Amino acid sequence: MLEQLKEKVFQANLELPKQGLIKYTWGNVSQLDESKQYFVIKPSGVSYDKMQASDMVVCDLSGQVVEGNYRPSSDTPTHAYLYQHVKNIGGICHTHSTYAVGFSQAGLDLLPRGTTHADTFYGAVPCARFLTEAEIQAGYEQNTGKVILETFQKRQISFQDIPGVLLQGHGPFTWGKDAFQAVEQATILEEICKMNFITQSLNPNAEILPQRILDKHYQRKHGKDAYYGQK
Ligand SMILES: [Zn+2]
């Protein structure tokens, strides 16, 4: 089932090493199917040079395997939880890319410091808290999804405006309309983390991007009167 989607998710996963976002198998990408009943995700621990489209695993929204020769990515319950609880996301990507992990380990939100940020993220990308002992014991990966949702609800930010999160002591999750857009957001997030690291190294007191410039750049690309790119 879902052969075309398996091919797409396979190709999106291959983008992770191509974009320099991961080493070994330190990442995973999934995409929801059109019926929104299933999603396709990378198998767990299969090396990228041996992986094939047919190895992708089909799961339902509770994270149970519906079809596949391999076990799905160990982060599958996080993907399932987000597809279940967040409207309008069609693809999810998780990596351990270097600079995004740096911010995650430092426990820092990624603050908007330039227009590269403002073109994709309408405000700070939050760093979500560590999980508690109880949360680790009772479904670590699913509770990771819960902590992401909790972070966005507490801070009153939308998953559309900020298509990514940094998990403290762990790394980034990003999302988009499909698997490829989720990978694109992961690539952009990594690049912005690198830029901000340089910015903060050069000037620890560097200013945050003024709200008016954040508004301008985000809105011209994503607002109701967006005019960036080709019609
Ligand atoms: Zn991870």
Side-chain angles (χ1 to χ4, degrees):
M1 66 188 291
L2 303 175
E3 300 307 322
Q4 278 186 337
L5 186 56
K6 282 180 191 165
E7 179 64 34
K8 202 174 165 187
V9 170
F10 170 60
Q11 294 295 339
N13 273 285
L14 292 184
E15 277 295 297
L16 299 183
K18 260 190 228 166
Q19 294 294 340
L21 293 174
I22 59 161
K23 295 192 190 297
Y24 303 112
T25 58
W26 300 350
N28 42 72
V29 186
S30 71
Q31 183 171 321
L32 196 61
D33 90 306
E34 280 178 1
S35 76
K36 300 190 177 187
Q37 286 185 296
Y38 309 107
F39 65 93
V40 171
I41 192 164
K42 188 180 85 84
S44 180
V46 176
S47 71
Y48 283 79
D49 50 337
K50 296 212 179 81
M51 201 166 64
Q52 297 180 345
S54 57
D55 298 334
M56 299 301 109
V57 184
V58 181
C59 296
D60 65 20
L61 292 200
S62 68
Q64 293 303 307
V65 174
V66 175
E67 186 191 88
N69 300 323
Y70 289 101
R71 282 165 46 203
S73 160
S74 48
D75 295 316
T76 296
T78 313
H79 291 244
Y81 188 86
L82 292 175
Y83 286 131
Q84 257 186 339
H85 293 88
V86 183
K87 272 187 203 150
N88 299 324
I89 60 172
I92 298 173
C93 173
H94 171 53
T95 81
H96 285 221
S97 63
T98 308
Y99 286 86
V101 166
F103 274 80
S104 304
Q105 292 182 173
L108 294 173
D109 289 358
L110 183 71
L111 302 178
R113 293 188 183 279
T115 61
T116 321
H117 185 124
D119 284 337
T120 299
F121 300 99
Y122 194 31
V125 176
C127 183
R129 66 172 173 82
F130 286 127
L131 273 67
T132 65
E133 180 65 31
E135 287 168 337
I136 293 162
Q137 294 301 329
Y140 173 62
E141 292 83 7
Q142 189 186 41
N143 283 325
T144 298
K146 283 187 189 174
V147 168
I148 294 171
L149 187 62
E150 171 202 287
T151 303
F152 277 65
Q153 286 173 341
K154 263 192 188 164
R155 301 199 192 197
Q156 299 186 315
I157 50 181
S158 98
F159 281 77
Q160 259 64 51
D161 289 348
I162 310 286
V165 67
L166 301 165
L167 299 172
Q168 189 165 10
H170 189 169
F173 269 85
T174 54
W175 44 83
K177 64 177 179 355
D178 59 17
F180 276 97
Q181 198 185 30
V183 173
E184 189 184 330
Q185 312 293 42
T187 308
I188 294 168
L189 180 62
E190 173 64 8
E191 209 55 31
I192 298 166
C193 286
K194 190 176 181 178
M195 289 171 179
N196 280 18
F197 175 73
I198 294 169
T199 305
Q200 288 165 244
S201 306
L202 290 168
N203 180 3
N205 302 315
E207 272 186 69
I208 304 300
L209 191 68
Q211 185 70 38
R212 60 183 183 279
I213 300 176
L214 183 70
D215 287 345
K216 180 66 188 169
H217 269 261
Y218 188 80
Q219 297 302 344
R220 71 173 195 172
K221 218 170 166 180
H222 307 281
K224 64 177 172 55
D225 300 317
Y227 59 88
Y228 176 91
Q230 303 303 318
K231 283 268 181 239

